[in-house]
Amino acid sequence: MRDVTTGVLRWDGAGQGGGWRFVEPPPAPQECPVAIVIDGMSQAVLMATPQDLRDFALGFALTEGLIAAPGDVEGFEEAAVEAGGFPAREARLWLRPGLAARLAERRRSMVGPVGCGLCGVDSIEAALPQIVPVASDWSMPPEDVARAMAALTQGQVLRHQTPAIHGAAFWDGARAVTREDVGRHNALDKLAGALAQAGQSAGQGAVVMSSRLSVDLVQKAARIGAPILIGASAPTALALGWAERAGITLIARARQASFDLYTHPRRIAGS
């Protein structure tokens, strides 16, 4: 087996000069098990990029409904551990007194370590919870969709080093806050945590994703109150249904100067 750190095979079927050739691969992104531990109890184990773990843990706790506000957290600790001979991380949150019952109930619903956006829920009811519709009337002109996507691309530092990285950005009409990870759900959790720590309202801007739009991304956007969700790729049918129910303006296939607008068009000027 060839060492992929020194060269990989690439097929190019275009033109007479096409065929197989060795190329130098881009740097591989970091990925390791990250345990979200709250008050000493492991809530989930996800494969993630080990950066911005404070944002990740806080955003995960917010978007999964484990806490209601950043003020519920009294402390954070990051620890390096080992899993099967490989490096791993624990992101430990300590909550204010009185929240143990909520955590215990959530812990009983966890079925094991997972890497998906639903994080171990084991019932239809838990996977599709009731969400209060987003009430924000924040709007943007259609030209800003391309600007928001460009700002996401520009802010993806890791993506410039390797293509195997997702990004999530918050666009407020002028600038973007961006977070990255190998998982799109993780990137959005990190973004939610970053906004919460900065005291920035997600209701006054749009969440922009480098990925397809699945129902769990819509749920997470709704929980932080984001009125507009933009994705580079297509939405799922369930995501569209939930965006309609959650009052979120969903934009997909945002490429250069074009995009598809699916739900709640009132927030896009002229639509």
Side-chain angles (χ1 to χ4, degrees), residues 138-150 171-174 230 259:
W138 190 88
S139 62
M140 61 192 295
E143 296 82 9
D144 264 16
V145 174
R147 296 188 184 103
M149 290 298 300
W171 170 257
D172 65 2
I230 303 170
F259 61 84

Side-chain angles (χ1 to χ4, degrees), residues 3 16 21 28 36 59 84 116 129 150 168 191 194 200 205 234 246 249-250 271:
D3 182 0
Q16 293 183 343
R21 61 191 177 100
I36 307 295
C116 69
L191 177 65
Q200 187 169 5
T249 299
L250 189 145
S271 62

Side-chain angles (χ1 to χ4, degrees), residues 6 9 43 45 51 64 164 241 247:
T6 59
L9 275 173
Q43 301 297 316
V45 179
Q51 277 121 7
E64 289 298 316

Side-chain angles (χ1 to χ4, degrees), residues 78-201:
E78 181 178 336
V81 294
E82 188 175 282
F86 293 92
R89 298 287 190 277
E90 283 188 0
R92 302 168 180 169
L93 294 178
W94 302 96
L95 306 188
R96 61 178 176 82
L99 299 180
R102 182 189 301 173
L103 281 178
E105 181 62 30
R106 178 66 164 82
R107 187 65 183 87
R108 282 193 291 272
S109 75
M110 299 292 288
V111 296
V114 294
C116 69
L118 295 178
C119 302
V121 294
D122 60 353
S123 70
I124 296 296
E125 292 78 10
L128 300 175
Q130 293 296 318
I131 289 181
V132 177
V134 175
S136 171
D137 289 327
W138 190 88
S139 62
M140 61 192 295
E143 296 82 9
D144 264 16
V145 174
R147 296 188 184 103
M149 290 298 300
L152 167 63
T153 301
Q154 185 177 6
Q156 285 197 255
V157 177
L158 296 178
R159 177 63 177 80
H160 295 160
Q161 301 170 7
T162 173
I165 285 288
H166 279 299
F170 180 75
W171 170 257
D172 65 2
R175 64 184 187 88
V177 177
T178 305
R179 291 292 182 268
E180 299 175 270
D181 200 278
V182 291
R184 62 188 190 276
H185 320 97
N186 301 343
L188 182 50
D189 282 340
K190 289 180 178 180
L191 177 65
L195 295 177
Q197 292 198 90
Q200 187 169 5
S201 170

